[in-house]
Structure formats: structure tokens, C-alpha cells
Amino acid sequence: MSNDKPIGRVVATERNPTTTVGVRFWLESDVQLKPFDLVRLSPPEHEGEVGEFYAIINEIEQVSDVPSPLSSFISADFGDAAITPRMARITTTYADATVLFNTRDIEMPVPHESEVHWPDEAGVRKALGMEDYNRNTPAGYITMSGPGQKPMTIHVDMDADYLMGPEGGHLNISGISGLATKTSYAMFLLTAIQQMQETQWNEGNRASFVILNVKGTDLLHLHEEAPDLDKKTKEDWTKCGLIAGPLENVTYFYPYSDTGARVQTKLGTSAVEQNIRDKRAYRYYYDVAGALERLRLLVEDIDDPNQTLVSCADFAADRIDAHSPWSTFREQIRKWAAETPDKQIPVVSWRRFARLIGQRTRNPFFTEESRQGGAIRQVTLKEILNHLQPGQVVVVDIAQLPDYLQSFVVGDVIDIVRRAKVGDLPFDEDGREAEPPDLGTVILFADELNKFAPKRGQARSITRHLREISERGRSEGIILFGAEQFRTGVDDQVTGNSSTQVFGRTTAVEAAKDPEIRGLPGSQTQRVPFLRKGELLVSHTRFSAGTLKLRFPRNGYNTG
Amino acid sequence: MARILEALQKAKFRCYAPKDVEPLVPEETEDESRPSYAPFEEPRPETEQVAVGESGSDTKQLFRYFVDGSMRTTNAGYIVDSKDRYLPIFIAQIAVAATRLDTNGIRVQEYRNRNVFFLPDTFSEEDKAEAKHLVKGAAGSSRWPLALDFDCYVLEEGTEPVDAARKKVLAGMHEMEITLIKDLADSEKVTRDDMLMIDGSLQFYGNLDQAREAFRNVVGVAKSFDLHQRVGSGRNAKQVGTLVAGLKHRHRTPARKVTVARTNLTVGAWYLRLHSAKHLAGLGIDDGVVKLELFPDGEAGHQRPLPTDRCDLISRNVLALRHPTTPSTDPRWASHLYPIHLTERYIRTRFRDERAVRAYL
């Protein structure tokens, strides 16, 4: 079957006319298409110079001339299921599609009887608007039906200007764990950005990356090449214009511990020691000064309608000497619990606050710098994050920490980065204002976003931080790549401000609840619960198609 | 750019826009002279009901081609003739198609059509020539040109003008069907093993003499027939209605010789029940029954009776085409044969919409 032979014809009927957006066409009986495939529509000659149209398929239906099941029953000799008619009933398969592009920039309905053809790759990329991007970022590939049942693979890009600023920003990925491949896709995009900014982009902002490892060890081997990197995977990466491999320039931060390998991580001891030896990892801790700055983060998850716990935290942060040791800190809190220093806060709240703080600062990473601090690479996050460099990847491991400490660390990371970006830095040893570092655009990846910015409950400062990032981060140079199982469980402002939305497989209930999924055209909504592993619906501001079904190469890094 | 009526009015013709929009419905009736129905099968079946049996799905299909004709007439208005008679004028879209059925499904083999403007035949030759020029010119110079032929229907004493026009349109359609079948036969596509089925009775074709050979491998299948016709003679004579009412599922009647006096045509004809009557209680007694007609071998006047095995073979192959059925599309669905139904549908999809035709007036 040649590319030039039409595979169907556009049909504009009284009940279903073609519009500037929608078109319907029937297909030859041996043609197989699938939703999200693109087709080229060539109007009849008598229509004049109206150019060619490209359209993306929303749904495919088959119709016969049977008006009802009863007719079919009658037709089978009144219910003889074994009967095989000499002549098959007439049927036709037709597709509904959305018009994306016209080669002459004409916005008129696709003419009736236009020929339907297989598209070519250049045409598809042009139709999807990718030729006009400023900074192309590989985003995966479309596997489309093609002539002779041979699939066509077309690589798809996002525009970095709309993925990581300045024109648009933020990305949100949702879907069921294990099937939606959320983390893998985020890492693929980060790798793509890292490679492209090193090799392709001549201008525009460059990015550094802060990755929060909230569970398992998936993100603790990002610097290691995948052991099963086979030829096919490498070809898939090449198709996308990338080199299969791990992320470069990766630094890990494990929470400090005073026992064992002196870290709290799910990573094996030998791997930790190796990374420390290779100067690729640090142990992070919180001294009193560091903790005081974020003290309220330790109590914000507690139901506290009158905000008395937060008031206690603010009171303590104002009055406790930042240079004091943890023993003094704890003693002072206990003392206030007994004395009730601020009469506006009830004693009950002080006691509750003392009990909580006592319990929550018991973690070994709330400590002073040990005497061998330098040797064992014990640092505060601020020391390193304040000096991030474009291209650098920082992984902050919080997987072993309880929820409230995960929020504490995430809040801290966000605050450090934001302050660094706006130049709000501590004075140096000579009392001079520190020079703001060139962090580039900081891309922050956080899984389990619902934990840090939940939709329900009182807005915590971490939620507010994330909201602000989603609203103003683009101009500040902080971009949030967030992931979660259920998008409806995340604060609307945090998800809603993302210019790129990625949907992996999710439940039917979630698909019905999520307005973003409900807003997808026609049957795409119904398709989300049935996406296969590795298939994603990606909606990017610059996609002329709105939403594309993409696949992406297997990980180039070791997933542990 | 004048439209048809305007062009005629601007000349000397007194014509008016159509009063109603009722289309002309074709209607065919069997010969009123009630042809004879003598036994015409060899060996002669012993019973009035011959079991046909089913042909297996692996047996070769006998019917390869299917021909149907259809027409859509548009009431184009009225014209006043020289005797001050107020007579209808019509535009008829007449089309015939042949489809071919094979393992890949059904495909259109041939499609022919004509659009004809019908004027009453009560004008002078000069007037007719002028009207023809005006009508063809107006239709042809339209923004969406229409190739329009010109013809006249003949008014006969005691015949309504509408019936006269109908007769003319039907004759035109039959002529096109005959030509098409003749062309298919000439190209040796239609053979004894690749037969052609035509929708309707062969008795309606008035001028088959020239095409008798082309119809050698053609079977006419009629959904409608005269139920009052008497078949047989003496005490055994029965009306067709009685005969088909008692006809069992997958059974046929013996073939009988039918001679149409008007055209002196002789065909062998028999009735075949496609669907069990017990399921069709709500329909007429002839629903689910078709009348099959076939020219006998031999010269005119010396035709040999139809061989029984040929009648059985044809009947089995017609029976095999009873599925799929098309309930809800037509009250006569039980007598439809699907390839014929599709052929007719194809023609109808090619017709211009009634409103579009009116736009030329």
C-alpha cells in the first residue's frame, strides 16, 4: 500500500457536518487506525487551493445497517447463533478527528469527500507545532499506525520555554503507582533537559535539578547506568535525539544518623559508603539554627484550629538562641511548657507543643555538627543548595523519614531554594551580603505531592510555598515537577498552574472526578483507566493537538 | 442565469411552480391478461411443495452479479398546452447499477444514470425543440450544472397524465437495465455458473426480443406478485395467494410456464419461501416469499421445460442470500435479498436530494 493511496474519505452530513475543528471520515476496510493517530486530509481538486489538513483521531466507530439488536436477532434466522450468512452485512468503520493544522493556514471546514492519507513524519511534527519551538525538549514518541500495518514512530518534543520558563512552566504527573511510570517519565524529561542544555541549546535559561526521593531507592542510583540497557532501549533514546544513560553530575543527601552507616536511607550501606567516598554524597543534619527557621513545619500537620501550636513555634523561634545546642533548646521548651511564658497561649497548648517538639526532634538528624563533620561529609542542606550550579542534580533522600519530617525537609528545601533565588542569603564571615549564586532555573521534582500540598485540610506553609512556586515560580526561576497518584488529592492551585499535565493510568473513579481528565476530548477520558504501562497522555501548552498519547524509552539509569 | 421555469416562462410557455411535492412512485403490475400457468419443469415434481435444502457455506456461489434500477422523480410544476390543459412536468433521476459479489464483499461493477426532464407530448415539434433547448440550457448553465435529457410522455385516452409519465419513466429505466445486462453478457462476465440476479419480474420488460440471449443466465426475483392469479387447472387450480400461504420454509413450488400475451414472452416461474411464516404473522401472506423467473432454453415457441436440478440449485442459492435481513428499513424486508437491497441503496445514495433538484426549477 503506497503512502499516496487514500485510505478513506471525509464525509460531511446534515447531522454531522465538518467544522473548523471536527471532521469525520470513513476508512477502507483493510485499514487499521487507533485513537491519537494522525492523518492527512487532502481536499478534492474542485475545492481549489485550500491546502491540506492534518487531524488527530479521537475515536473510531463501526456501524452496520442493523438498527437494533432485534433486527440482528431476526436476521440470524430468528436467533440461530450458528448461522453463517453467505454475504456479510455491510459495515463501515469511521473515525472522528480533530483538525490540527492546515498547510495554508486556512480555517475552513474540511471539505466533504477529502481524501484521507497516511501522514509523513515531517508533516506530523509541523502539524503538532513542533517546528516553531524555541528550545525543543524530547518528550517521548508517538507510535502511530502506518501503511501496510507497519507502525510509524514519530518523536515528540516539548518547548522548554513552556516547560521550565520563561513563557510557561511546571509539570504535573498523575497515575497509579507501578503502572503510570511517573517517576521514570520525570527522570526521562530531566535527562532530556540536562542533555539538551549541554549540547543543543545556545540560549535561554539553564537548569539545575533538586529531586526529592520520598520512597524506595529508585532515585538513589541516578548516576548509575541501567544494567539492562539493551540495543532496543538505546535505539529508542536515539529516536528521541538523546543518548541513553544516567543523569550526570548527581549529588545525594542522606539524612544523618548517629548509628550504623550514620545515615537514614533505604540504600545499602556499601553503596552509601561508596558514594561518600566518591564525594558524590553528603549526610545532612539540622542544628538548632536550621530547625528554628522551620519550626512551625514540625507542627503544621496537627489539627490546630486556633493556631496555638504555630504561635508556640513562632514564639520559640523568636526567643531561642540559634547557636544553642539541642539540649538547651529542649530544656527551654520544657521550661516554657511549665511556665506558660506567653499568657495568650493556653498552658494546654504549651504542654502539647512541648510534647510534640520533644517527640519530633528526637530524630538523629536534629543534632550538632560532629567533630569529624568534614570527614564524614556532614552538612546542612543550606550549605550546598545555596551554591547549586546549572546542570547539577541534587537528590535529597527523605524516604526513611516519617511523614512530618518529610514535610519538614521538603519545606526547608523549597525555602532555601527560594531564598537563594531572590538573593536572601546569610551574611558572610566578614559581615558582607553574600553574592547571589547562579542556580539557573531550579527544577524541583517531588513525588507524593498530595502529601506536601493536600487539597483538603488547613493550608500549611509548605502548601503555601508550593502554591507560590506554581504561581510565581516561573518568574522566580523555580519550576515544580510534581507527581502523585491521585491528582484530585492535590491542591488545585498547585496542579492547575502546570502548563504541562501528564496522565498515566488511573482509576475510573479518579478519571471521573478529575476535571482535567473530564475535559479531555470525547473518548480520551474513558481511555485513561485503560492506559498501558508506559503509555501517558501528555498535555503540553505548545501541543497543537492539546493532548498526545506518548511512550518514552526505558530508563537509562539504574532503578535499584 | 435563469432557472428552468423562468426560462420557459420568458419564452412563450405558460408554466407554474409545483403545487405539491409528492414524488412519482413507480408502480408495476403484472399483465392484466392473466397469463397461463402450465407445468414447466422436468422431471415434474410430484408435490406442490419442493424442499430446497440449504447450500453449505463452502459451496460455490451461483449469483455473482446483481442488477437493480431506481428512479427519483421530482414534480417540476405544471404547463398549459395548446388545448389549455394543465399538465404536470417532471424531472426524473433514473439510474441502474450492477454489483458484483465475491469473497471480498460487494463492489459496484457498473453504474449508469440519466436525468430527464419530462414534458407532455402535446406540443408541436417546434415547441418541444424550443423547450428542450431552454431546459437543457438553464440546467446546464446553473452554478452546479446538471446534464438534463429531454423527453415527452405520451398522453393516452383514459390515462391520467401522472400514470403516463410513470409509464414512460419506468420504460426508460427498464431500457437502461436491459442495456446494462446485455453489456455484461457481451463481456462474458455473466455465465451459467456466474449468474445475474435482477430485482423484479422479467415480465415487465417489454422489448426483450433483442436481448433474449443476454438474459439466458439472468434470474428475476420479484417481491410482489398477483396473489389472485390462478395456477393450475380444473379442480387443482389454486390462487397464488393460497399457494404461497401454505408454502413451507425452504420450500418452493414447481416451476410453471408463464406466457405474457402482451409481449409474447415465455418464462419459467416458481415461488420460494425465504423465511418461516410462523415468524411473520404480522406481515402479509406473501411476505417472506419471492417469485423467481428464468428464461427457458430453446428458441421462441419451442422452449424446453426447466430442469428440476437447475431450479433447485437456483432456489438454494437464492435462499442462501436471505441473510442478513433488513427489518425496519422496509415493510417488505422479509422478501428482500441483501445484495439487491444494497444495490438499490447504492443507487439511492447517488441521487441528488429532492431540494437540490428543485433548485434548478
Side-chain angles (χ1 to χ4, degrees), chain B residues 287-352:
Chain B
D287 284 317
V289 178
V290 288
K291 182 182 182 185
L292 307 180
E293 292 177 348
L294 176 70
F295 278 115
D297 289 335
E299 294 301 313
H302 298 90
Q303 287 97 349
R304 290 191 294 275
L306 303 178
T308 294
D309 55 355
R310 185 81 178 150
C311 293
D312 284 341
L313 180 68
I314 288 170
S315 299
R316 273 198 302 278
N317 276 275
V318 171
L319 194 64
L321 294 172
R322 72 190 184 280
H323 301 299
T325 57
T326 53
S328 315
T329 57
D330 188 318
R332 306 298 313 275
W333 65 266
S335 302
H336 277 188
L337 294 171
Y338 197 58
I340 290 285
H341 169 74
L342 290 182
T343 309
E344 185 180 350
R345 271 186 78 172
Y346 171 75
I347 297 170
R348 290 186 175 278
T349 60
R350 298 287 300 261
F351 282 147
R352 292 196 189 200

Side-chain angles (χ1 to χ4, degrees), chain B residues 61-308:
Chain B
Q61 154 189 318
L62 183 64
F63 290 102
R64 188 65 63 194
Y65 297 94
F66 301 86
V67 167
D68 196 12
S70 192
M71 53 176 248
R72 178 178 288 171
T73 56
T74 304
N75 186 349
Y78 297 88
I79 195 160
V80 179
D81 70 359
S82 53
K83 294 180 182 172
D84 273 349
R85 283 179 297 188
Y86 185 67
L87 297 166
I89 47 181
F90 301 97
I91 290 178
Q93 300 179 73
I94 309 170
V96 295
T99 51
R100 180 186 156 86
L101 178 65
D102 54 30
T103 48
N104 294 325
I106 197 162
R107 290 279 181 278
V108 176
Q109 179 75 29
E110 191 76 42
Y111 172 78
R112 296 172 187 181
N113 73 312
R114 285 179 73 208
N115 303 307
V116 189
F117 184 92
F118 281 100
L119 195 75
D121 189 30
T122 53
F123 289 88
S124 68
E125 290 305 315
E126 266 181 23
D127 285 351
K128 282 193 276 189
E130 186 180 359
K132 178 180 178 178
H133 174 72
L134 291 168
V135 166
K136 285 172 82 86
S141 62
S142 158
R143 191 158 172 263
W144 198 263
L146 177 72
L148 201 56
D149 292 341
F150 185 88
D151 206 346
C152 296
Y153 63 85
V154 183
L155 276 182
E156 290 170 354
E157 196 66 37
T159 307
E160 286 293 318
V162 170
D163 292 335
R166 179 183 288 138
K167 193 173 165 187
K168 185 77 180 179
V169 173
L170 274 172
M173 189 177 82
H174 287 158
E175 203 172 294
M176 287 172 74
E177 285 176 329
I178 292 168
T179 309
L180 175 59
I181 290 171
K182 200 165 174 298
D183 291 348
L184 287 171
D186 289 348
S187 62
E188 298 183 349
K189 288 191 168 86
V190 180
T191 65
R192 197 172 171 79
D193 295 325
D194 285 327
M195 293 189 76
L196 184 148
M197 180 185 287
I198 186 164
D199 186 29
S201 172
L202 299 177
Q203 296 174 44
F204 300 130
Y205 296 86
N207 53 346
L208 275 183
D209 281 346
Q210 301 298 317
R212 187 182 295 274
E213 197 53 37
F215 275 69
R216 177 80 56 208
N217 297 306
V218 173
V219 172
V221 179
K223 297 188 285 283
S224 308
F225 34 84
D226 184 358
L227 295 170
H228 306 288
Q229 184 70 257
R230 289 190 77 79
V231 173
S233 56
R235 290 172 55 195
N236 294 328
K238 276 184 182 171
Q239 284 186 306
V240 169
T242 314
L243 200 64
V244 300
L247 194 58
K248 289 188 279 191
H249 185 204
R250 301 191 190 105
H251 282 64
R252 66 173 178 90
T253 61
R256 288 186 167 82
K257 185 177 184 177
V258 180
T259 304
V260 183
R262 179 168 54 87
T263 55
N264 199 28
L265 269 181
T266 299
V267 294
W270 68 96
Y271 300 89
L272 170 69
R273 180 166 283 284
L274 302 175
H275 296 283
S276 169
K278 73 173 181 182
H279 293 301
L280 308 172
L283 302 179
I285 58 164
D286 55 337
D287 284 317
V289 178
V290 288
K291 182 182 182 185
L292 307 180
E293 292 177 348
L294 176 70
F295 278 115
D297 289 335
E299 294 301 313
H302 298 90
Q303 287 97 349
R304 290 191 294 275
L306 303 178
T308 294

Side-chain angles (χ1 to χ4, degrees), chain A residues 108-232:
Chain A
M108 286 290 286
V110 181
H112 175 65
E113 298 239 302
S114 292
E115 289 181 353
V116 182
H117 291 269
W118 296 109
D120 53 299
E121 177 166 359
V124 169
R125 286 181 57 80
K126 198 165 175 54
L128 292 175
M130 288 169 201
E131 301 304 310
D132 302 327
Y133 291 177
N134 188 25
R135 290 184 298 161
N136 287 58
T137 309
Y141 50 84
I142 309 171
T143 305
M144 282 174 37
S145 310
Q149 322 294 0
K150 285 185 190 156
M152 293 165 64
T153 301
I154 293 170
H155 72 278
V156 171
D157 297 336
M158 292 182 193
D159 189 346
D161 282 5
Y162 289 78
L163 180 64
M164 47 181 272
E167 305 297 340
H170 314 300
L171 170 131
N172 186 272
I173 314 176
S174 60
I176 300 170
S177 282
L179 287 172
T181 55
K182 304 186 291 286
T183 308
S184 297
Y185 189 61
M187 292 307 111
F188 169 74
L189 285 180
L190 296 191
T191 311
I193 293 169
Q194 195 184 46
Q195 288 191 18
M196 294 303 283
Q197 69 183 10
E198 290 303 323
T199 59
Q200 302 287 322
W201 300 340
N202 298 321
E203 54 186 37
N205 49 350
R206 287 158 55 79
S208 55
F209 311 92
V210 176
I211 296 167
L212 297 159
N213 180 58
V214 297
K215 62 186 179 198
T217 61
D218 279 17
L219 300 174
L220 298 180
H221 300 275
L222 292 178
H223 68 290
E224 296 170 28
E225 185 170 290
D228 54 351
L229 203 57
D230 55 16
K231 189 169 169 245
K232 158 90 173 55

Side-chain angles (χ1 to χ4, degrees), chain A residues 14 29 46 65 67-68 70-72 74-78 80 83-91, chain B residues 55-56 59 61 101 106 250 279-280 317 320-325 327-328 333 338-339 342 345 355:
Chain A
E14 283 186 345
S29 55
H46 66 73
D65 60 1
S68 71
L70 186 62
S71 295
S72 183
I74 293 169
S75 191
D77 234 356
F78 297 92
D80 181 354
I83 199 158
T84 309
R86 173 66 62 89
M87 185 187 170
R89 190 177 278 283
I90 198 89
T91 59
Chain B
S55 59
T59 53
Q61 154 189 318
L101 178 65
I106 197 162
R250 301 191 190 105
H279 293 301
L280 308 172
N317 276 275
L321 294 172
R322 72 190 184 280
H323 301 299
T325 57
S328 315
W333 65 266
Y338 197 58
L342 290 182
R345 271 186 78 172
R355 289 168 297 178

Side-chain angles (χ1 to χ4, degrees), chain A residues 259-273:
Chain A
T259 57
R262 307 188 83 163
V263 287
Q264 303 172 63
T265 179
K266 293 185 175 176
L267 193 66
T269 305
S270 60
V272 171
E273 294 297 350

